[in-house]
Amino acid sequence: MSASSASSSLLLLSLCLALLSHFAAASPRPRDLRFSAEDIAAVEAALPLRHRRSSGTTFFEVDRPLRPPKGSSGPCSTLLLSHSFAFTLTKPPVTAAYSPPECLLEAGAVSLAVLEWRAECRGVQYDRIFGVWLGGAELLRGSTAEPRPGGVAWSVSKDVTRYAPLLAAGNATLAVYLGNLIDDTYNGVYHANLTLHLYFRRAARSSSPQPAAAADAIVPVSRSLPLNDGLWFVVQNSTDVQSARLAVPPNAYRAVLEVYVSSHYADEFWYMNTPEQNGPFREVTVLLDGDVVGAVWPFPVIYTGGINPLIWRPITSIGSFNMPTYDIELTPFLGKLLDGEHHELGFKVTNALNSWYVDANLHLWLDGKSSKTTGGLVAYDAPKLAGSIVSHSADGIDGEYEATASRNITATGWVSSSRGNVTTTFTQRLSFANTNVVSSHGSAQAINQTTDALTSVSGGGAQAQQQVHQSFPLYIFLGGDGSGTSSQRLMRRVEIGFEEARSGAVTSTLRNRQAAAAEVTLRDDAVVGASWRMHQTYAYGASDGGCYLRNVSSVGYDVLFDHRDASCAGARGR
Ligand SMILES: *[C@@H]1O[C@H](CO)[C@@H](O)[C@H](O)[C@H]1NC(C)=O
Ligand SMILES: *[C@@H]1O[C@H](CO)[C@@H](O)[C@H](O)[C@H]1NC(C)=O
Ligand SMILES: *[C@@H]1O[C@H](CO)[C@@H](O)[C@H](O)[C@H]1NC(C)=O
Ligand SMILES: *[C@@H]1O[C@H](CO)[C@@H](O)[C@H](O)[C@H]1NC(C)=O
Ligand SMILES: *[C@@H]1O[C@H](CO)[C@@H](O)[C@H](O)[C@H]1NC(C)=O
Ligand SMILES: *[C@@H]1O[C@H](CO)[C@@H](O)[C@H](O)[C@H]1NC(C)=O
Ligand SMILES: *[C@@H]1O[C@H](CO)[C@@H](O)[C@H](O)[C@H]1NC(C)=O
């Protein structure tokens, strides 16, 4: 391959740029943490023959399977959209008319709703971001898999039961935006099918426990069509505030804002950003008429092309196919929202570089027995973010810097409805620490970060009370040896975790961890070998009997072992 020697120099150059610039004036570009098509082609060409030939690879994200509650009927499946996304960047989203499936109109109570995205792509293409909206409310956001020349397929199933009021409402527009670009090099077209699977509670079993009750109405906080982009707001810098004005129905008694976020371009790898790039700390703040009423400290989703794309094949990074969302309880502020006027809900990203895609859904519970509820804010305290960055470097090349941040928000408010006069307190305690160490004369870099988020809702109705403790450890190592000699190795390691403990109506714990490494060997600047491995453990247990254990490992494109246990045996006490 004539391109291989040029591309391997690119790999090298990228590594050096990314490392040296940390204490130098120049900033690394985000693409330095990505491979070009030539880089990937050179690596694929160096793989054993059986891997090069392979066609139709399936990539997957480890998640627990979605099962309807006992006694459910279904599924009733409806294809919502089938589309081929070729040159779609800066074009309007693909839309389809949505009306509730017949079975939903007939059967009524949904016990589980699953949105399935199934896609394939062949050729050369970057990972792309996509979003799905119904009536302006976002239902799913994910990154695509990066294809191989022989083709790649993947699917993701998301529990969308909480969107039941949207699914059952009248006619609405379904919109899908996937910003893909086609040129002479990047020729991969994404073919995707979007299907809704519905399960119903049997009338006879109506005494069986209800799943967490969905809201009565959902108000989108996003941009409206027509658009040549997704419906998300694009936050471009740290002072940029993107907002929508909205009014809530006069009989709301509970409000929860569900926030979707993803980071792109200069902030794609925000956690590796230098002090010159506003450092490694980011948060999305939610503003109600200009006041900070909640904060999202995002899980660092690494897209399938990030750090070293080989690492994420075939087991993709946590959250990449199905990004997590974050709930902010706005019930304490209902007094303000219930005045019949429009209010401004805005989003800001602390320290942001271009760009962040943010939007939200406002889930509202309505009082069926009265036409008007009232409320009042009793206490509200949202002190300024506390944070610092400390750098140490003797020679301006090797060194270390540490960034920390902390934020607390608490709000208490009452809402009076036919359910009584109920006081709710929402509290967030957030902390963050990141160390970034550059060593070996700038040839190695390690970042180690932890995000810790404690969110609680107390008082309130029984269904609202909960405490969620999330912890997101992240470790990334970039290094190499043999620099400047004819035989070199480029190494990357990633350890990442999504850990969550919930208590409330249902108590659950999730421990989802990945540890991965990749190594590319170069001889005289040409790629002569590549190897990578991934180990992931997923342990989920819940007081409602739900549990899932998975222990899966891959080497190169091969799955080495894959142990799954959904029987709950041995799940207790983990
Ligand atoms: C989408 O559905 C069509 C029709 O059933 C099928 O031919 C195609 O293979 C599907 N594509 C994907 C990516 O699943
Ligand atoms: C939805 O659209 C269909 C077809 O256009 C129409 O028959 C139906 O009456 C509409 N339903 C509502 C609730 O608007
Ligand atoms: C930040 O972004 C906004 C929105 O694009 C723009 O109007 C503003 O000029 C930018 N501010 C800075 C300091 O770049
Ligand atoms: C947040 O509260 C914790 C104690 O709960 C405290 O240690 C921390 O300093 C507070 N942070 C800020 C920014 O107020
Ligand atoms: C609800 O309770 C709060 C505090 O307990 C009180 O200040 C408020 O007046 C009450 N509202 C109504 C409508 O009774
Ligand atoms: C990252 O930092 C944490 C907390 O200081 C530490 O326990 C952990 O071992 C570090 N991880 C790595 C891979 O060095
Ligand atoms: C995962 O499976 C491997 C291989 O069977 C085993 O050695 C390891 O102990 C398991 N890890 C966990 C956490 O169960």
Side-chain angles (χ1 to χ4, degrees):
M1 266 206 139
S2 61
S4 64
S5 94
S7 61
S8 51
S9 324
L10 262 180
L11 277 177
L12 271 181
L13 182 67
S14 301
L15 188 71
C16 294
L17 269 179
L19 296 174
L20 287 177
S21 57
H22 266 261
F23 287 93
S27 297
R29 293 160 315 198
R31 289 282 159 181
D32 296 335
L33 285 162
R34 292 183 148 267
F35 284 21
S36 67
E38 291 83 2
D39 296 335
I40 293 280
V43 166
E44 291 258 352
L47 296 176
L49 196 58
R50 84 192 159 85
H51 278 317
R52 266 181 274 162
R53 276 215 222 92
S54 79
S55 65
T57 321
T58 298
F59 295 166
F60 59 96
E61 181 178 340
V62 170
D63 202 352
R64 56 184 181 276
L66 299 173
R67 299 224 168 77
K70 280 206 180 68
S72 295
S73 65
C76 155
S77 302
T78 310
L79 180 68
L80 300 180
L81 186 98
S82 180
H83 191 79
S84 296
F85 295 86
F87 200 128
T88 47
L89 197 70
T90 69
K91 303 263 170 59
V94 175
T95 57
Y98 172 88
S99 47
E102 284 294 321
C103 54
L104 178 56
L105 297 173
E106 283 159 15
V110 170
S111 62
L112 174 68
V114 176
L115 188 66
E116 182 192 39
W117 167 273
R118 187 170 282 278
E120 51 194 35
C121 187
R122 184 180 298 269
V124 177
Q125 195 50 268
Y126 277 124
D127 50 346
R128 303 296 184 184
I129 185 85
F130 73 90
V132 176
W133 293 263
L134 181 60
E138 188 160 358
L139 305 187
L140 171 69
R141 188 181 300 190
S143 150
T144 64
E146 282 200 350
R148 304 183 66 196
V152 60
W154 83 100
S155 73
V156 44
S157 287
K158 178 172 174 179
D159 183 341
V160 293
T161 314
R162 73 185 298 194
Y163 303 120
L166 287 173
L167 301 173
N171 299 336
T173 299
L174 180 84
V176 179
Y177 183 80
L178 187 164
N180 195 26
L181 195 147
I182 301 284
D183 62 19
D184 292 343
T185 308
Y186 295 93
N187 57 9
V189 173
Y190 286 103
H191 306 283
N193 289 344
L194 189 65
T195 309
L196 179 65
H197 304 283
L198 297 172
Y199 298 84
F200 302 101
R201 266 196 297 280
R202 290 217 176 91
R205 296 267 189 160
S206 58
S207 62
S208 63
Q210 303 258 118
D216 300 301
I218 297 174
V219 177
V221 189
S222 62
R223 295 192 296 173
S224 306
L225 296 170
L227 283 170
N228 293 318
D229 193 355
L231 278 67
W232 42 55
F233 295 106
V234 179
V235 176
Q236 300 191 333
N237 57 51
S238 59
T239 54
D240 193 1
V241 179
Q242 293 292 321
S243 64
R245 295 187 69 78
L246 53 89
V248 307
N251 60 340
Y253 67 88
R254 185 181 174 213
V256 173
L257 189 74
E258 177 196 23
V259 185
Y260 279 81
V261 322
S262 55
S263 62
H264 304 278
Y265 304 105
D267 259 358
E268 178 177 347
F269 305 101
W270 86 84
Y271 38 82
M272 304 195 79
N273 283 0
T274 62
E276 298 75 39
Q277 297 169 306
N278 293 354
F281 172 73
R282 297 292 181 275
E283 65 168 345
V284 178
T285 50
V286 176
L287 309 174
L288 174 59
D289 297 331
D291 293 328
V292 174
V293 293
V296 172
W297 288 29
F299 174 75
V301 175
I302 303 172
Y303 306 133
T304 56
I307 316 283
N308 176 337
L310 299 172
I311 287 182
W312 315 115
R313 303 175 177 196
I315 305 175
T316 195
S317 50
I318 297 172
S320 58
F321 287 169
N322 177 5
M323 296 191 192
T325 65
Y326 307 84
D327 285 352
I328 305 288
E329 183 83 32
L330 292 184
T331 307
F333 298 96
L334 265 181
K336 185 175 209 175
L337 291 168
L338 286 167
D339 65 359
E341 304 293 322
H342 279 72
H343 291 271
E344 186 177 43
L345 260 180
F347 306 103
K348 227 176 140 170
V349 182
T350 304
N351 300 333
L353 296 179
N354 198 9
S355 47
W356 287 74
Y357 297 170
V358 185
D359 64 18
N361 302 322
L362 183 60
H363 297 251
L364 294 165
W365 283 257
L366 308 178
D367 186 358
K369 293 187 189 123
S370 80
S371 56
K372 178 110 191 74
T373 53
T374 55
L377 187 64
V378 174
Y380 165 62
D381 189 30
K384 266 184 28 207
L385 174 83
S388 69
I389 300 187
V390 182
S391 308
H392 321 272
S393 176
D395 57 7
I397 296 176
D398 286 357
E400 174 174 348
Y401 57 84
E402 294 171 38
T404 58
S406 145
R407 185 191 277 285
N408 300 323
I409 297 172
T410 171
T412 301
W414 59 266
V415 176
S416 175
S417 71
S418 71
R419 307 163 65 91
N421 184 355
V422 177
T423 297
T424 305
T425 297
F426 174 63
T427 307
Q428 289 192 296
R429 293 260 174 280
L430 307 161
S431 67
F432 169 92
N434 175 300
T435 59
N436 190 333
V437 178
V438 175
S439 60
S440 308
H441 309 291
S443 71
Q445 182 186 358
I447 71 133
N448 187 355
Q449 169 175 303
T450 303
T451 308
D452 199 83
L454 190 68
T455 297
S456 75
V457 180
S458 59
Q463 61 163 215
Q465 285 183 26
Q466 65 170 353
Q467 196 172 80
V468 181
H469 186 185
Q470 293 181 319
S471 173
F472 308 143
L474 172 67
Y475 172 83
I476 297 174
F477 172 82
L478 313 178
D481 55 26
S483 173
T485 70
S486 67
S487 185
Q488 304 175 52
R489 287 192 310 159
L490 306 176
M491 292 174 291
R492 293 186 179 189
R493 263 180 62 204
V494 179
E495 290 171 25
I496 188 166
F498 187 109
E499 290 168 16
E500 185 177 82
R502 285 180 178 267
S503 57
V506 173
T507 295
S508 65
T509 58
L510 170 64
R511 192 170 188 275
N512 188 6
R513 283 189 162 249
Q514 293 184 311
E519 196 175 296
V520 175
T521 313
L522 306 171
R523 196 156 300 132
D524 297 326
D525 282 353
V527 174
V528 294
S531 64
W532 64 98
R533 57 181 60 237
M534 159 69 74
H535 181 219
Q536 183 164 8
T537 54
Y538 183 106
Y540 173 79
S543 62
D544 64 1
C547 75
Y548 188 64
L549 297 177
R550 190 148 173 195
N551 175 7
V552 56
S553 186
S554 62
V555 173
Y557 283 110
D558 296 323
V559 172
L560 203 61
F561 61 79
D562 187 355
H563 306 306
R564 304 174 207 208
D565 182 0
S567 70
C568 295
R572 305 277 170 239
R574 288 198 193 201

